[in-house]
């Protein structure tokens, strides 16, 4: 919902470190993979109740997600990079609830399952819209530098980071917070269905 508004600030913050990394020959794909690998370590951290460590790893993953795009804009974006970025992002989002389910199966498993289903809804509607938009040659003014058509919604990247931060800071509230966020994700999914229905009619 607020990603487009935050985009100029994000780019300004990411540009200096991206230029430094690009000057040392670091490629965007390398940052994407490294960020994903470090983010995966949040799952065992969550399982062992190391919530502050998990939060740090999640934030590192999200910073890498911004850095890879900034490096790509310097060195030149590629279709492979765009594919890798979005594919790993959606998998990462779905794996974080697994960590909470492992931490407390009796309390968190059902909520984690509902949340993963909600993420499937937002991810599939996003990618389905993007694939048809690409077929039709559509573009979006809000995200002109994205590798694929970026369809917004109530729950975008910024909201997801805030949610992940909240459940790491207040892990006992995971069932309630995840239920609320899952509901917001389902709203996003339905609005994207409606947008697709209208745009492609």
């Amino acid at each position: 919902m607020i990603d487009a508004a935050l985009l100029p600030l994000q780019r300004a913050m990411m540009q200096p470190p991206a230029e430094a990394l690009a000057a040392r020959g670091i490629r965007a794909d390398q940052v994407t993979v490294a960020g994903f690998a470090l983010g995966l370590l949040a799952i065992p951290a969550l399982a062992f109740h190391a919530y502050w460590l998990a939060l740090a790893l999640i934030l590192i993953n999200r910073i890498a997600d911004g850095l890879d795009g900034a490096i790509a804009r310097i060195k030149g974006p590629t279709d492979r990079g765009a594919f890798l970025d979005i594919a790993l992002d959606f998998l990462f989002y779905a794996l974080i609830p697994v960590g909470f389910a492992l931490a407390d199966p009796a309390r968190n498993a059902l909520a984690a399952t509902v949340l993963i289903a909600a993420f499937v809804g937002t991810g599939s509607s996003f990618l389905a819209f993007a694939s048809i938009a690409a077929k039709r040659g559509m573009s979006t003014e809000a995200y002109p530098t994205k590798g694929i058509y970026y369809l917004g919604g109530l729950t975008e990247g910024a909201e997801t980071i805030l949610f992940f931060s909240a459940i790491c800071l207040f892990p006992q509230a995971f069932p309630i917070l995840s239920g609320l966020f899952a509901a917001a994700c389902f709203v996003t999914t339905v609005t994207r269905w409606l947008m697709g229905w209208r745009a492609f009619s």
Side-chain angles (χ1 to χ4, degrees):
M1 185 171 65
I2 61 174
D3 279 13
L6 293 176
L7 196 57
L9 176 61
Q10 176 192 331
R11 288 183 180 172
M13 292 176 62
M14 293 297 170
Q15 190 65 22
E19 290 176 353
L21 290 171
R24 288 166 174 76
I26 303 298
R27 301 191 309 272
D29 291 354
Q30 292 174 315
V31 175
T32 302
V33 173
F36 178 71
L38 288 170
L40 286 182
L41 296 176
I43 299 166
L46 290 168
F48 288 103
H49 309 279
Y51 296 110
W52 282 99
L53 175 58
L55 176 58
L57 292 165
I58 290 169
L59 294 178
I60 289 171
N61 171 273
R62 296 296 82 207
I63 290 169
D65 185 57
L67 271 177
D68 61 7
I71 294 171
R73 286 189 293 274
I74 294 169
K75 288 185 165 263
T78 65
D79 289 342
R80 183 181 70 179
F83 166 78
L84 192 65
D85 179 65
I86 198 68
L88 296 185
D89 274 355
F90 280 125
L91 179 58
F92 175 74
Y93 288 159
L95 287 173
I96 295 303
V98 174
F100 280 91
L102 292 171
D104 190 344
R107 181 180 178 85
N108 294 341
L110 177 59
T113 301
V114 173
L115 183 59
I116 292 169
F119 283 157
V120 170
T122 56
S124 62
S125 58
F126 179 97
L127 294 173
F129 193 102
S131 65
I132 303 300
K135 180 181 177 182
R136 293 186 170 211
M138 296 169 60
S139 61
T140 174
E141 295 181 2
Y143 304 96
T145 61
K146 293 288 186 179
I148 63 175
Y149 192 103
Y150 196 93
L151 183 63
L154 182 61
T155 54
E156 297 178 352
E159 292 81 12
T160 305
I161 294 171
L162 290 174
F163 166 66
F164 284 163
S165 299
I167 55 178
C168 287
L169 293 172
F170 307 101
Q172 295 304 312
F174 175 79
I176 296 173
L177 292 175
S178 63
L180 293 172
F181 196 73
C185 287
F186 284 125
V187 171
T188 299
T189 300
V190 171
T191 58
R192 285 175 176 169
W193 288 346
L194 292 174
M195 291 175 70
W197 181 268
R198 292 167 184 163
F200 305 139
S201 61

